[in-house]
Amino acid sequence: MEDNEIIEMFWSRQEKAIKELAAKYGNYCKTVAGNILRNSLDSEECVNDGYFAVWNSIPPKKPKSLGAYTAKIVRNKALDLYNKNAASKRGKGESPLPLNELSDLVSGSDTEREVDRNELLRAINSFLDSLPKKTRQIFTGRYFSCRSISELAAKFQTNEHNLNVILSRTRQKLKQYLYERGFEL
Amino acid sequence: MTEKEFLRLFNDIDNKFVDEEIKEEGEIMPPVMVKKAAEKGFSWGRFAGIAAASVIVLGGLFAAGVYFRGNNFYPQGTETDTKDAAESTSTLAEASEEFITTEPEETGIRVNIEGDPREFVLTGNPHSAEDFVDFGYEDIYENICSNYATHVRWDPENLTQTEVNRYMEKNDAMFDSLDEPEIRELYLRASALWSFFKDTEAMSRLSFNESYSSDDDKARLKTPSDRIEGIDDEYVEMGVKSDQFLNALYDVFSEEAVEELREKFPWYVFYNGEVWCPLVSGAIGTGVGAELELTKHTDTEIEFKTVLYKGEDFYGTTEYSEEVENPEVYKYNNRFVKTEKGWRVAEIATTSGSTHEWGGYSGEQQSEDKILMDGSAASDDEILSYDPDTGAFTVNSCFVVPFSTVNKNRVEGEKGDWIKLKAGDAYGGYTVEKAETIYSDPTWGDYRAEVTLSGKLSCTGTARVLDEQVVELVLDEEDCKNLMGFAPYMDQDFSETPSQDRIYMWITYKTKDCQKVLDALKDKDEVRVKLDTDHFILKYVYGSEYGYDGRTLINSVNLNEHTLEIVE
């Protein structure tokens, strides 16, 4: 079913809209939530909360990309729950989030100078646009979908070492790219 | 900013990147994989030699999604795009006037090849305009940019493929020195468009409407006259509007250059407002990624050379290698002129086998021999596809060897212990459902093979945590012997006995029952597990593009029908 048809169903308050949304984008949403939370019950909860949020926000919203809209809501909820779990030490073992490797990109400090978030996002988007498709997919796969290195290595048919090299170089390039435009993360 | 804040910020990246991720979800990794632990035994000597002279490849050319006007690039469907397209109509009409006839029922058209009119005979029914797809070559352009920016180079010390930008800094400095920011992009755009002249398959790789999925559905234009060298005598409709195709050319090349291209490389004819192209063509590259050397820079003209080297050990002109003494140096011209519409490409270097200003038809032809792993030539009935430009081909067979076969018995070009498998064959307790090998770059030994097997695979092994989400299962040796392996190309130095080889399975947390194993591994370094499945794919990849090192993988395909148990 086309996005606009599903959105139309949301607007006309048909509950079937949720079912269609889940059928079309449920897999990806579950993947993202699962990658972040590593717990099927929590992931399921996040995805369902995400659907509910979509239900509550459409109308009045009419997202151009229903998939991205839903995925971002679910991802945000998963990050919220991850933080909550981490705070209450419900998390098990090492973090599934790619946090350590990001330390070469960000300062790690909470006391950042004020930056224009929209400008920063524009620069990041522009950087992503400039990347070769494969590199971009690896980068967003890792830092948006939070896929594991081994999963991405298999997907892009390379070994983990090469994949880490690609990610590391891309982070360095992003850092430089942002620095040249006046941003220091 | 903290790492977590960055991840949160990343939530708001442009939707198109998220859509790209969603689109890819269907192709995400197979949950169960096996690798053959052959890393130690593999000899890299042969590859170290040839990889040092890695060629410039413009391969992997696909197009979709975006086309452009002037020096600005817009996603399809934007208001700006539509507006610009409407505004450009007059230019298109002028450009196409003498080449386009609009009556589909007309049986003859005139095309401008060396000034002589040619007659074509139409067979079949051309599709209507609504079936046409937009001519977008953005993916090809991206590929060209990628080739410009990155070369894969063999690192013999670390036995890995590394990405290097050998000339990028120098070339970027050259472009920067021009202080004409559009030149670099024009150069890369021209190279992308050149793909459609050097390789008509580039056109066929555009995303056609569904109604264009089969060549059989397409109408044909046939030339009753003698075949022109390098051009097939049968043109097929491509469902691409000729005005868009021409427009793209005029946005990058000067008018004279477009005319010259069309005269010297009449790969395309225009009929019914549509582009028709032959099924085969020649192959001449533009050397993107090679060294560039500025030779002229005035207000109205810029000229730089593409510099290539050739030595005895080289297979053709390529980038410079210190390992070759006194290489022959070839320089090919790139020229840009300032027009009323801005800078345009007047000449683009073409680099293979000829110093003709446009390359001519005398470029090096790929060998038509399609040699398989065992040294035999592929027969016509086993070739599934063939790319005359790159020489890549796909066959409906795989070569395997019994697991733990001594590798030195399998010398390239000799049959040795090779077993050729095709669909329907039996091997051990398995039936071959499908077999396929892609020889993606025969010159460099890049290939990937897959064989789908049905039959019971019951194995035990030792599982341990590979990373946060993946369990590595080392199969017991006896179980390994029930499977076959794909041997890499090898040389005489490949003498390590594979007796220590084992087969590994990588099982991700998404695989059914994997969580049980992960849970069991919380308190232990290893656990013993048993896996049963009755349908799986065996896969082998060696490719310089991805730095694959010759591992055999198994992807279980009956994901929900396998069982994975912890055993004592």
Side-chain angles (χ1 to χ4, degrees):
Chain A
M1 182 174 280
E2 295 298 320
D3 276 7
N4 55 6
E5 294 175 81
I6 301 174
I7 290 170
E8 207 53 51
M9 291 167 78
F10 273 109
W11 272 73
S12 56
R13 309 317 285 163
Q14 296 177 46
E15 288 184 10
K16 196 181 165 202
I18 302 274
K19 191 179 165 190
E20 295 297 340
L21 180 73
K24 191 164 184 185
Y25 298 114
N27 274 349
Y28 179 71
C29 290
K30 282 176 196 164
T31 295
V32 174
N35 287 344
I36 293 171
L37 295 164
R38 298 282 308 281
N39 178 301
S40 56
L41 284 177
D42 285 351
S43 305
E44 194 77 18
E45 182 186 329
C46 258
V47 173
N48 286 333
D49 283 354
Y51 294 159
F52 187 62
V54 173
W55 175 260
N56 282 335
S57 59
I58 305 177
K61 290 194 173 170
K62 223 170 197 177
K64 284 181 183 168
S65 168
L66 183 61
Y69 181 74
T70 310
K72 285 179 174 183
I73 289 176
V74 169
R75 184 179 182 271
N76 248 340
K77 288 191 176 296
L79 288 172
D80 285 342
L81 190 56
Y82 171 84
N83 287 335
K84 189 177 157 192
N85 288 348
S88 62
K89 302 192 176 175
R90 275 181 62 200
K92 301 164 188 170
E94 288 184 18
S95 164
L97 297 181
L99 297 176
N100 288 342
E101 64 206 59
L102 285 171
S103 59
D104 58 6
L105 178 64
V106 299
S107 66
S109 162
D110 283 325
T111 54
E112 284 302 310
R113 64 187 172 86
E114 222 24 64
V115 293
D116 185 325
R117 193 171 184 279
N118 287 338
E119 284 298 319
L120 176 58
L121 270 170
R122 252 194 290 277
I124 291 173
N125 284 329
S126 161
F127 173 76
L128 291 174
D129 247 335
S130 73
L131 293 175
K133 188 174 180 184
K134 189 177 101 177
T135 309
R136 181 173 62 245
Q137 287 177 332
I138 289 171
F139 199 74
T140 52
R142 181 66 175 153
Y143 301 120
F144 187 89
S145 302
C146 298
R147 300 188 195 281
S148 69
I149 297 291
S150 52
E151 184 177 357
L152 287 168
K155 174 172 160 43
F156 289 95
Q157 301 193 330
T158 186
N159 56 42
E160 294 178 29
H161 171 74
N162 279 355
L163 200 105
N164 275 317
V165 169
I166 292 169
L167 281 170
S168 170
R169 283 183 182 164
T170 311
R171 288 195 304 272
Q172 290 304 320
K173 280 183 189 171
L174 173 60
K175 188 173 187 175
Q176 181 66 22
Y177 188 90
L178 294 177
Y179 180 77
E180 287 167 1
R181 284 154 184 78
F183 297 107
E184 281 186 87
L185 299 181
Chain B
M1 179 178 284
T2 65
E3 292 85 350
K4 283 183 185 174
E5 283 169 342
F6 177 81
L7 284 183
R8 188 74 78 169
L9 175 75
F10 214 64
N11 205 60
D12 290 330
I13 57 173
D14 197 292
N15 284 346
K16 68 183 176 188
F17 305 125
V18 182
D19 285 337
E20 201 170 65
E21 272 292 288
I22 293 171
K23 192 176 164 192
E24 289 292 312
E25 175 65 10
E27 301 168 21
I28 205 60
M29 76 177 294
V32 180
M33 297 186 301
V34 176
K35 71 169 182 175
K36 179 182 172 186
E39 288 91 341
K40 279 191 175 180
F42 189 67
S43 170
W44 296 100
R46 178 174 179 272
F47 295 106
I50 58 177
S54 64
V55 287
I56 297 156
V57 176
L58 292 175
L61 305 175
F62 300 92
V66 178
Y67 58 100
F68 67 94
R69 304 276 178 242
N71 292 322
N72 298 310
F73 300 84
Y74 306 106
Q76 275 185 18
T78 63
E79 289 176 9
T80 315
D81 192 21
T82 312
K83 179 170 170 283
D84 280 2
E87 285 176 355
S88 61
T89 306
S90 60
T91 312
L92 301 177
E94 278 174 32
S96 320
E97 191 176 9
E98 70 172 296
F99 299 97
I100 299 174
T101 56
T102 53
E103 297 300 324
E105 57 272 19
E106 192 174 334
T107 55
I109 61 168
R110 191 166 68 87
V111 293
N112 185 10
I113 297 176
E114 296 171 353
D116 299 326
R118 295 173 68 203
E119 295 296 320
F120 284 81
V121 175
L122 172 69
T123 56
N125 297 312
H127 281 68
S128 56
E130 54 264 30
D131 288 326
F132 293 172
V133 295
D134 288 327
F135 175 66
Y137 64 98
E138 206 61 18
D139 280 357
I140 290 181
Y141 170 64
E142 282 181 21
N143 231 306
I144 294 290
C145 291
S146 178
N147 281 328
Y148 167 77
T150 307
H151 281 258
V152 175
R153 175 169 287 278
W154 177 249
D155 177 357
E157 283 186 14
N158 296 312
L159 302 182
T160 57
Q161 301 280 350
T162 58
E163 294 177 36
V164 296
N165 303 323
R166 187 185 182 96
Y167 300 111
M168 191 175 163
E169 276 188 23
K170 180 178 180 293
N171 292 345
D172 275 346
M174 188 275 287
F175 280 121
D176 291 342
S177 74
L178 300 173
D179 202 23
E180 300 282 1
E182 66 268 46
I183 295 295
R184 176 174 12 215
E185 182 167 356
L186 275 176
Y187 169 62
L188 296 171
R189 291 270 168 197
S191 295
L193 283 169
W194 172 258
S195 304
F196 292 91
F197 283 87
K198 82 179 185 66
D199 174 14
T200 52
E201 241 189 68
M203 180 67 87
S204 69
R205 289 172 185 170
L206 293 170
S207 348
F208 298 116
N209 287 345
E210 283 182 13
S211 60
Y212 273 81
S213 56
S214 167
D215 273 354
D216 296 338
D217 297 336
K218 298 173 183 173
R220 306 293 172 98
L221 290 173
K222 290 186 179 178
T223 54
S225 54
D226 291 342
R227 182 184 172 128
I228 295 176
E229 185 186 355
I231 306 178
D232 203 334
D233 58 357
E234 190 173 36
Y235 290 76
V236 65
E237 62 171 343
M238 301 313 301
V240 172
K241 291 179 182 174
S242 46
D243 54 0
Q244 289 188 351
F245 181 62
L246 278 170
N247 226 14
L249 293 178
Y250 281 116
D251 280 341
V252 170
F253 291 98
S254 67
E255 290 187 13
E256 294 76 13
V258 172
E259 293 312 310
E260 194 175 354
L261 270 173
R262 294 183 59 196
E263 284 180 21
K264 293 186 175 175
F265 296 88
W267 303 126
Y268 300 97
V269 296
F270 302 106
Y271 179 74
N272 193 28
E274 185 184 2
V275 182
W276 301 62
C277 71
L279 296 174
V280 295
S281 70
I284 305 163
T286 52
V288 166
E291 187 178 1
L292 303 177
E293 183 181 287
L294 184 65
T295 50
K296 186 176 184 181
H297 181 197
T298 69
D299 290 344
T300 56
E301 195 172 7
I302 291 171
E303 201 171 86
F304 55 83
K305 306 279 186 187
T306 299
V307 186
L308 294 172
Y309 303 86
K310 185 176 183 180
E312 283 184 4
D313 294 340
F314 286 65
Y315 286 81
T317 50
T318 182
E319 61 185 285
Y320 178 68
S321 167
E322 294 87 349
E323 295 169 17
V324 179
E325 291 182 6
N326 304 317
E328 296 172 33
V329 181
Y330 292 81
K331 295 187 178 183
Y332 303 93
N333 209 34
N334 301 277
R335 190 163 58 86
F336 298 71
V337 292
K338 192 71 167 281
T339 71
E340 290 175 357
K341 296 174 184 173
W343 285 101
R344 290 291 186 271
V345 178
E347 198 174 337
I348 179 98
T350 55
T351 57
S352 177
S354 170
T355 54
H356 187 284
E357 58 186 319
W358 283 108
Y361 295 125
S362 56
E364 290 175 350
Q365 298 297 311
Q366 294 285 337
S367 164
E368 292 191 357
D369 291 336
K370 300 167 189 71
I371 304 300
L372 303 177
M373 281 183 217
D374 68 339
S376 64
S379 60
D380 288 345
D381 62 348
E382 61 186 332
I383 296 169
L384 299 174
S385 67
Y386 172 57
D387 180 339
D389 182 20
T390 63
F393 61 97
T394 305
V395 294
N396 60 357
S397 63
C398 289
F399 282 95
V400 301
V401 290
F403 186 80
S404 81
T405 297
V406 177
N407 292 290
K408 65 183 178 184
N409 290 345
R410 297 167 302 180
V411 179
E412 181 185 358
E414 295 180 11
K415 293 192 175 179
D417 293 306
W418 292 115
I419 299 166
K420 192 174 188 176
L421 291 183
K422 288 190 169 186
D425 289 348
Y427 181 94
Y430 305 109
T431 302
V432 177
E433 294 187 354
K434 181 184 174 187
E436 202 167 286
T437 308
I438 302 170
Y439 293 76
S440 53
D441 189 344
T443 306
W444 308 108
D446 291 357
Y447 59 85
R448 57 190 65 197
E450 281 191 8
V451 54
T452 305
L453 299 168
S454 60
K456 191 165 180 58
L457 170 65
S458 181
C459 52
T460 53
T462 303
R464 53 194 174 219
V465 174
L466 185 64
D467 79 0
E468 299 163 358
Q469 301 180 346
V470 180
V471 169
E472 183 177 67
L473 170 61
V474 187
L475 294 195
D476 292 346
E477 190 169 358
E478 285 307 305
D479 288 327
C480 295
K481 288 179 181 173
N482 292 327
L483 297 169
M484 77 258 325
F486 293 91
Y489 275 120
M490 67 208 75
D491 59 20
Q492 301 291 349
D493 297 324
F494 192 71
S495 55
E496 293 258 351
T497 170
S499 62
Q500 294 173 354
D501 284 0
R502 299 289 279 274
I503 288 179
Y504 290 70
M505 305 180 79
W506 292 347
I507 309 166
T508 75
Y509 72 100
K510 291 176 184 172
T511 307
K512 184 165 76 82
D513 298 330
C514 180
Q515 194 59 46
K516 283 192 304 191
V517 182
L518 278 169
D519 289 344
L521 284 167
K522 278 180 187 163
D523 305 320
K524 298 177 184 174
D525 291 336
E526 297 179 345
V527 293
R528 297 278 297 159
V529 300
K530 182 171 187 295
L531 178 107
D532 289 283
T533 184
D534 59 3
H535 190 157
F536 58 99
I537 296 174
L538 197 66
K539 185 176 181 182
Y540 173 82
V541 177
Y542 176 81
S544 57
E545 182 185 357
Y546 297 112
Y548 239 108
D549 50 8
R551 294 177 295 190
T552 304
L553 309 169
I554 291 181
N555 306 338
S556 174
V557 292
N558 276 356
L559 301 179
N560 296 317
E561 294 178 20
H562 73 264
T563 61
L564 186 64
E565 295 172 348
I566 296 169
V567 295
E568 293 305 319

